[in-house]
Amino acid sequence: MPRTPAEDRTHWERTADRMLLAVRPYATDGHGLIHLPGTPSHNGPRGDGLEGFARTFLLAAFRLAGAAGADPHDLAGWYAAGLAAGTCPKNPERWPTFAECGQAKVEAASVALALHETRPWIWDRLDPKVQRRVLDWLAPMVGDQMPGNNWIWFQAVTEAFARTAGGQWRQQDLDRTIALTDGWYAGEGWYSDGLTGAGHRNFDHYNGWAMHLYPLWFCRVLGDAAPTGLLDRYRQRLRRFLLDQRLLVGGNGSPLIQGRSLTYRHAALASVWTGALFDTTPLAPGETRALATRMLDHFTDHGAVAADGLLTLGWHRPFRGVLQSYSGPASPYWASKGFIGLALPPDHPVWTEEPTPLAVEQGDFERALAAPGWLVSGTAADGVVRVVNHGGDHADPARPHADDPGYARFAYSTHTAPETPGDPTVPGGSADADPLDNAVVLLDAAGRASHRRPTTRISISGATAVSRSRAHWPGDATWDVFGGPDTDYVLGPWITVGSALRGPVEVRAVRVDGEPGRGHVLRVGGWALAVDGTPEDTGAAARVDGADGLVSLVTGVRGLPNASVVTRTDSNALGAASATPVVATEGPVAHGTLHTALIHLGAAPPSTWPSVTTRAEGTTLLADVTWQDGTVDTIRLPAPDPAAPDPWKDPHRA
């Protein structure tokens, strides 16, 4: 039943209170550590305990700030006690130092932001000895050479708070953070989370819950001491980013299921709320709240909160396949960033105006996002938002990687999850599995699928995009977000893939170039869906009917006559059983020719498919796609340059 604006605010407050009260039974006596149940991360129990304190403290801070200090659950007193216990070197509840646990640097930023937001009710009332201990615990951050990604902002915001509270800070650290961030700006509101191989390749939700949030809060903490013009620069970038982010939320309220740290879930709202808080959003107030509330309800309605009120490790259900080695029992509480809106007072327009439809509910759209290299389509009939990925892969172009399912797939959506059988570096993670869904692979004689990363973006324009990669088979296919281990590998041919996207349909065109005669079979995978039963093949096309009513369908148009469905268990965040439609060549793939497939995801099969004709211009192969309305998009697949140097040392050429 729809809620009124006032009821919406109350709903958010009650949800925050339930989350905060649910963790209290797991706190140590002095509240310095919160040891939530579950498998520890690689940071160990003490690091995970600090994470439990810091991330929930951030939620408590937004709750207190928006209520102007009204505190029926004594949040201020409870967390003040934890600050005293955690920073006392002789207390058994003491927090780990940065030297003992690098993750403590991440949590320090949450502590600093929470202290800033609750300064009148917590910091200003702390015993001066406790204030000094807090600043002493933060002090080793000064001069630390932080990793070259969003971690630099943990240093900047902690030093900014320390500067305002009489602690240690260093101008060089702040200047370095600002300069690096400017270098990571990829344009049109998008950041790469650091540079990989000197390039912008790391695009994911860290854009919103880190790269836009922390710079603006850095300026908020410093106030008039912030460098001149910096706040305006960050505000303009966020405003532009939100024009794209508003498109990347499905009608079901789900954000895009892509990238790493997905167990943070509605932390994806961080930039949406930050835009409202800093008055730098293109969204109407009613759209901001509608988007936020829809996302919050999406997760709470789909099992993200267990019966005991704790956030689980997963996406909907508990599912370790979307975790990383740094994911511990308290990691999901970075979702606290999704509650930034509570820091706005109850009379702010986002809490008083009537909600408006989400972008995908207002009508169909297609966009080319040049910065991340994504084609986007949204369809109002089913609320699905799809992204076709020819841009970032989170991989070093100097060496081959095993494919991380969160980055290496050709397509992602708000209604489907990539097949992620589990990162073996995560406790409880399963063994690696060959790339399948939304993958274009070559199968070797043993039936093993090639891997894609790293990729090279060739073009993106209008409704089409093209990229290229070198097929390779790693000896150790362990994958993680930072590339996996160095390993021997077998190199194969070049694979050039182009896409045209319109509504629920992608036309995917493929050419293979290299040394012919190796007997590789070309396979093209479609969307994986969670299923209730066992799907069946349907002749020349492969179709999967999902448990949620969606249809995933792939049909070969040219050179891909073999259709089948591949089923897996416990490899998908959205269901225990999943299935993926695929098409493949009859035998060994022909090199230097065009292969095309039609790939569909929607509420029903398409009534008509686009027509595809092929031709050549010299060594470039072209696929002309004619859509139902007569619009023509042309996918251009150039041949690899035979004079280009081999990018990798090649001890084991296929």
Side-chain angles (χ1 to χ4, degrees):
M1 185 175 182
R3 293 184 291 262
T4 67
E7 290 171 338
D8 239 358
R9 169 82 183 202
T10 299
H11 169 67
W12 277 84
E13 290 175 338
R14 288 176 177 171
T15 301
D17 290 346
R18 284 197 301 270
M19 289 173 59
L20 289 167
L21 295 177
V23 304
R24 288 189 176 183
Y26 302 96
T28 49
D29 291 343
H31 312 164
L33 301 170
I34 299 177
H35 293 298
L36 297 178
T39 304
S41 74
H42 69 195
N43 299 308
R46 187 172 293 273
D48 291 345
L50 168 61
E51 191 171 71
F53 176 89
R55 298 189 177 196
T56 59
F57 183 27
L58 191 61
L59 175 57
F62 297 139
R63 179 73 174 92
L64 280 169
D71 192 5
H73 302 295
D74 190 28
L75 297 175
W78 201 93
Y79 282 94
L83 290 164
T87 58
C88 179
K90 296 180 180 180
N91 194 311
E93 301 179 31
R94 73 167 180 86
W95 298 340
T97 66
F98 301 150
E100 292 171 329
C101 177
Q103 184 68 23
K105 302 173 187 178
V106 181
E107 308 318 316
S110 290
V111 171
L113 291 183
L115 286 171
H116 174 77
E117 293 303 308
T118 59
R119 193 180 293 257
W121 311 291
I122 297 181
W123 178 258
D124 290 347
R125 298 178 182 178
L126 285 178
D127 185 293
K129 293 180 181 178
V130 178
Q131 290 181 335
R132 176 46 52 191
R133 293 206 306 262
V134 171
L135 295 174
D136 287 346
W137 183 73
L138 295 175
M141 193 79 85
V142 177
D144 192 302
Q145 283 296 109
M146 302 291 282
N149 59 15
N150 67 89
W151 276 45
I152 62 171
W153 279 106
F154 307 143
Q155 180 181 51
V157 297
T158 55
E159 290 194 31
F161 173 76
R163 178 176 176 176
T164 67
Q168 297 182 40
W169 64 283
R170 193 174 76 153
Q171 187 65 46
Q172 297 96 308
D173 292 343
L174 308 187
D175 292 343
R176 174 177 180 261
T177 297
I178 294 167
L180 287 174
T181 300
D182 284 344
W184 300 341
Y185 186 61
E188 298 183 353
W190 286 81
Y191 288 99
S192 174
D193 183 17
L195 303 183
T196 300
H200 298 107
R201 308 178 70 92
N202 307 333
F203 298 103
D204 52 34
H205 286 294
Y206 277 86
N207 259 281
W209 60 45
M211 301 308 299
H212 281 293
L213 182 148
Y214 289 113
L216 282 161
W217 240 278
F218 171 77
C219 295
R220 179 177 172 92
V221 172
L222 286 179
D224 292 341
T228 302
L230 192 64
L231 177 61
D232 287 341
R233 185 192 315 170
Y234 293 148
R235 290 177 73 249
Q236 290 168 7
R237 290 175 181 176
L238 174 57
R239 174 178 285 274
R240 177 60 185 86
F241 175 70
L242 290 173
L243 286 173
D244 290 345
Q245 190 186 10
R246 67 184 291 269
L247 304 177
L248 300 177
V249 178
N252 60 353
S254 176
L256 193 67
I257 309 177
Q258 177 271 341
R260 66 187 177 103
S261 302
L262 289 174
T263 197
Y264 301 162
R265 297 177 173 112
H266 45 271
L269 293 170
S271 51
V272 175
W273 285 125
T274 300
L277 187 70
F278 285 84
D279 192 24
T280 184
T281 179
L283 280 64
E287 183 180 358
T288 293
R289 191 178 78 258
L291 191 157
T293 298
R294 194 82 65 87
M295 191 179 297
L296 177 67
D297 289 348
H298 173 81
F299 286 111
T300 55
D301 291 347
H302 286 85
V305 181
D308 58 5
L310 298 180
L311 290 175
T312 62
L313 279 162
W315 183 254
H316 289 166
R317 64 192 176 100
F319 180 67
R320 299 199 65 82
V322 299
L323 306 184
Q324 283 72 47
S325 61
Y326 53 78
S327 303
S331 293
Y333 286 85
W334 242 32
S336 296
K337 296 178 178 183
F339 288 80
I340 289 170
L342 286 179
L344 294 164
D347 60 354
H348 190 281
V350 298
W351 293 118
T352 60
E353 293 196 8
E354 292 296 327
T356 60
L358 305 187
V360 72
E361 296 173 322
Q362 296 174 22
D364 296 354
F365 58 80
E366 286 92 22
R367 298 283 193 282
L369 307 186
W374 291 354
L375 301 176
V376 184
S377 80
T379 44
D382 48 30
V384 179
V385 177
R386 308 155 194 80
V387 163
V388 171
N389 170 37
H390 287 274
D393 57 9
H394 215 289
D396 184 349
R399 69 179 181 91
H401 300 255
D403 282 354
D404 181 334
Y407 295 97
R409 298 298 180 253
F410 276 99
Y412 299 94
S413 87
T414 55
H415 284 61
T416 64
E419 291 286 284
T420 48
D423 180 347
T425 66
V426 175
S430 61
D432 60 89
D434 283 345
L436 173 64
D437 57 298
N438 278 313
V440 176
V441 302
L442 297 176
L443 304 177
D444 67 9
R448 295 184 307 142
S450 62
H451 289 242
R452 179 187 182 199
R453 295 195 303 167
T455 64
T456 300
R457 183 190 316 192
I458 293 177
S459 64
I460 180 169
S461 177
T464 67
V466 180
S467 61
R468 177 178 292 135
S469 62
R470 186 76 177 270
H472 57 282
W473 291 262
D476 181 350
T478 300
W479 55 269
D480 64 45
V481 293
F482 304 110
D486 288 321
T487 181
D488 289 339
Y489 52 87
V490 176
L491 278 180
W494 292 99
I495 304 178
T496 307
V497 181
S499 301
L501 181 65
R502 178 72 66 92
V505 176
E506 175 198 351
V507 178
R508 195 175 295 171
V510 184
R511 69 178 293 167
V512 177
D513 295 277
E515 300 175 5
R518 298 293 177 179
H520 298 129
V521 170
L522 173 65
R523 186 182 72 193
V524 177
W527 298 91
L529 294 181
V531 295
D532 290 328
T534 302
E536 296 181 359
D537 302 350
T538 56
R543 170 174 170 165
V544 173
D545 291 286
D548 60 356
L550 292 179
V551 175
S552 172
L553 196 154
V554 180
T555 183
V557 175
R558 178 185 172 96
L560 297 164
N562 286 4
S564 61
V565 173
V566 181
T567 59
R568 286 180 175 171
T569 58
D570 200 30
S571 65
N572 195 284
L574 300 185
S578 54
T580 304
V582 301
V583 291
T585 54
E586 182 72 39
V589 62
H591 287 221
T593 64
L594 203 59
H595 301 75
T596 55
L598 304 176
I599 299 172
H600 165 88
L601 173 68
S607 56
T608 59
W609 290 102
S611 65
V612 183
T613 58
T614 60
R615 54 194 173 94
E617 290 181 356
T619 60
T620 297
L621 303 180
L622 293 83
D624 294 317
V625 181
T626 303
W627 302 96
Q628 187 175 7
D629 63 359
T631 302
V632 178
D633 290 315
T634 298
I635 305 170
R636 304 176 62 88
L637 302 184
D641 182 357
D646 202 330
W648 306 320
K649 185 178 180 181
D650 186 11
H652 303 292
R653 183 178 295 278

